[in-house]
Amino acid sequence: MVVLKGRRPEGATDDYDTDDDAAADDMTDQQSMRTERSSNTMRAPNSMKIAPELAKITLFHGTKFKSWQESTQSFTYHMHSFSESRVRSLCKHNQTNQWIQYNQTHMSRTFPSGKRVDSSNYSPILAWSTGCQMVALNYQTPDDPLRINDGRFRENGEQGYVLKPSSLMMNADIEPRAALLEVKILSGSCLPKPGGLSHGECIDPYITISLFDCHDGKELVSVQTTNTVMNNGFAPIWNFEDSFHFQVQNMCVAVMQFTVWDKNPSPKPDDFIANASVPISCMRHGIRSVQLFDANNTRSGAFDFASLLVLVKFEHSQAEI
């Protein structure tokens, strides 16, 4: 399915939204005003021509954000685009609930800041928590945020869209579900060498367990690390007494990431081995097998059988909504 966003209604010129318009959110107010004044003086009237054939198949009409009250009353096919800095700013100023209400009837798109010249990514967690439907990332960069996104969309078997949590579709202000989570890394199986190479020394694996979460409009990241198992990538076993506790604030959108590293002598940096991102909403009690993926979120060759054996316990959870 292909959805086109552009200039849909006839005669709409003043409120048309482009990536350049939304990217102005990364500037200071003074810079934005100066840019807008200069662009207005240089822009000729009716300079934007849209082919009627394209307008007919365009589903969403991009509009500039002014206020939630005005946006909520607009046509449902009107949508906004927000840069990552604008996402944080709106959440910081206690506008999360208004944004959630808006996203129940309209579409929102978020995208990386233009300042990310290295094509790195921002965490999609905060945008997901407000119900944003289109959270754009730089797919050319295999970093943690992209792996979080990959884990989110594996929960339906990689079949496309993932439904919003029911709490984001209610009119009343609902506190996000919280939980106390205990995780133990028991063992690993068939952990490959860095880059999936078939030759080289035995790896010295250890695991970092990262929880990506949000609360009160702020992103939260907590990271804990296991001990290192020396010279054993085939079937490493970790200390069963080492358990890691996490306070999950928003189970609907939080994601836990398991990353396998190969320990190297200092000052050489440790090598990335494999990774798995699992939405907290998909985690279950008991001993579970976690499939691992390579740096590009694929599972083939040396990664066909790579996995971790993990013990999961939810010590407390709010009632299901």
Side-chain angles (χ1 to χ4, degrees), residues 213-258:
D213 199 358
C214 64
H215 183 61
D216 288 340
K218 297 180 181 179
E219 297 170 323
L220 303 174
V221 181
S222 53
V223 181
Q224 302 193 51
T225 306
T226 68
N227 62 301
T228 302
V229 177
M230 305 302 294
N231 298 318
N232 190 347
F234 181 69
I237 297 176
W238 279 271
N239 188 347
F240 288 5
E241 297 180 359
D242 290 342
S243 59
F244 306 98
H245 295 82
F246 297 89
Q247 175 65 59
V248 183
Q249 300 290 349
N250 191 336
M251 291 187 63
C252 296
V253 297
V255 174
M256 178 157 285
Q257 194 171 91
F258 301 91

Side-chain angles (χ1 to χ4, degrees), residues 168-219:
L168 294 179
M169 295 303 296
M170 295 182 177
N171 291 327
D173 293 343
I174 302 296
E175 281 295 320
R177 294 176 58 206
L180 292 174
L181 178 61
E182 179 183 353
V183 176
K184 286 185 179 182
I185 305 296
L186 303 180
S187 64
S189 178
C190 301
L191 304 182
K193 294 177 173 59
L197 297 177
S198 59
H199 59 276
E201 299 179 348
C202 291
I203 64 172
D204 304 324
Y206 70 92
I207 315 296
T208 58
I209 311 167
S210 307
L211 176 66
F212 296 87
D213 199 358
C214 64
H215 183 61
D216 288 340
K218 297 180 181 179
E219 297 170 323

Side-chain angles (χ1 to χ4, degrees), residues 40-321:
N40 286 339
T41 57
M42 296 174 61
R43 184 182 302 165
N46 300 323
S47 60
M48 298 184 68
K49 301 294 184 181
I50 303 299
E53 295 81 4
L54 178 60
K56 287 181 180 179
I57 63 174
T58 299
L59 179 60
F60 292 111
H61 171 61
T63 59
K64 292 183 180 179
F65 173 75
K66 297 177 182 177
S67 69
W68 292 121
Q69 182 178 4
E70 182 176 335
S71 297
T72 304
Q73 295 173 355
S74 64
F75 294 109
T76 54
Y77 56 78
H78 284 195
M79 68 174 292
H80 295 315
S81 291
F82 301 98
S83 67
E84 61 172 285
S85 59
R86 190 67 180 274
V87 173
R88 296 190 183 98
S89 176
L90 291 172
C91 293
K92 181 180 179 180
H93 291 87
N94 299 320
Q95 299 187 41
T96 302
N97 290 333
Q98 294 169 282
W99 201 353
I100 291 175
Q101 297 295 320
Y102 170 81
N103 282 332
Q104 291 177 3
T105 54
H106 296 72
M107 301 284 281
S108 291
R109 181 178 76 99
T110 67
F111 60 92
S113 168
K115 297 177 182 178
R116 293 185 178 272
V117 294
D118 58 349
S119 293
S120 59
N121 283 300
Y122 64 105
S123 173
I125 296 291
L126 198 57
W128 287 341
S129 71
T130 64
C132 290
Q133 298 88 349
M134 302 179 185
V135 182
L137 298 173
N138 291 315
Y139 265 64
Q140 67 270 32
T141 306
D143 50 12
D144 283 344
L146 191 63
R147 295 182 187 115
I148 293 172
N149 186 78
D150 181 76
R152 170 61 61 193
F153 289 93
R154 286 188 189 278
E155 69 177 78
N156 68 343
E158 299 179 272
Q159 297 303 309
Y161 296 100
V162 173
L163 291 177
K164 285 186 188 181
S166 57
S167 60
L168 294 179
M169 295 303 296
M170 295 182 177
N171 291 327
D173 293 343
I174 302 296
E175 281 295 320
R177 294 176 58 206
L180 292 174
L181 178 61
E182 179 183 353
V183 176
K184 286 185 179 182
I185 305 296
L186 303 180
S187 64
S189 178
C190 301
L191 304 182
K193 294 177 173 59
L197 297 177
S198 59
H199 59 276
E201 299 179 348
C202 291
I203 64 172
D204 304 324
Y206 70 92
I207 315 296
T208 58
I209 311 167
S210 307
L211 176 66
F212 296 87
D213 199 358
C214 64
H215 183 61
D216 288 340
K218 297 180 181 179
E219 297 170 323
L220 303 174
V221 181
S222 53
V223 181
Q224 302 193 51
T225 306
T226 68
N227 62 301
T228 302
V229 177
M230 305 302 294
N231 298 318
N232 190 347
F234 181 69
I237 297 176
W238 279 271
N239 188 347
F240 288 5
E241 297 180 359
D242 290 342
S243 59
F244 306 98
H245 295 82
F246 297 89
Q247 175 65 59
V248 183
Q249 300 290 349
N250 191 336
M251 291 187 63
C252 296
V253 297
V255 174
M256 178 157 285
Q257 194 171 91
F258 301 91
T259 307
V260 183
W261 298 89
D262 178 23
K263 187 71 174 179
N264 287 321
S266 181
K268 184 180 179 181
D270 297 339
D271 294 317
F272 174 89
I273 299 295
N275 177 278
S277 297
V278 184
I280 296 297
S281 58
C282 296
M283 297 184 72
R284 298 294 180 263
H285 289 274
I287 297 177
R288 305 291 173 177
S289 177
V290 178
Q291 294 183 335
L292 297 173
F293 299 84
D294 62 17
N296 296 311
N297 295 319
T298 60
R299 183 174 166 83
S300 61
F303 295 84
D304 275 335
F305 303 100
S307 64
L308 297 175
L309 199 61
V310 178
L311 175 62
V312 178
K313 293 182 181 179
F314 284 99
E315 298 179 10
H316 171 71
S317 177
Q318 291 179 214
E320 182 80 36
I321 296 176

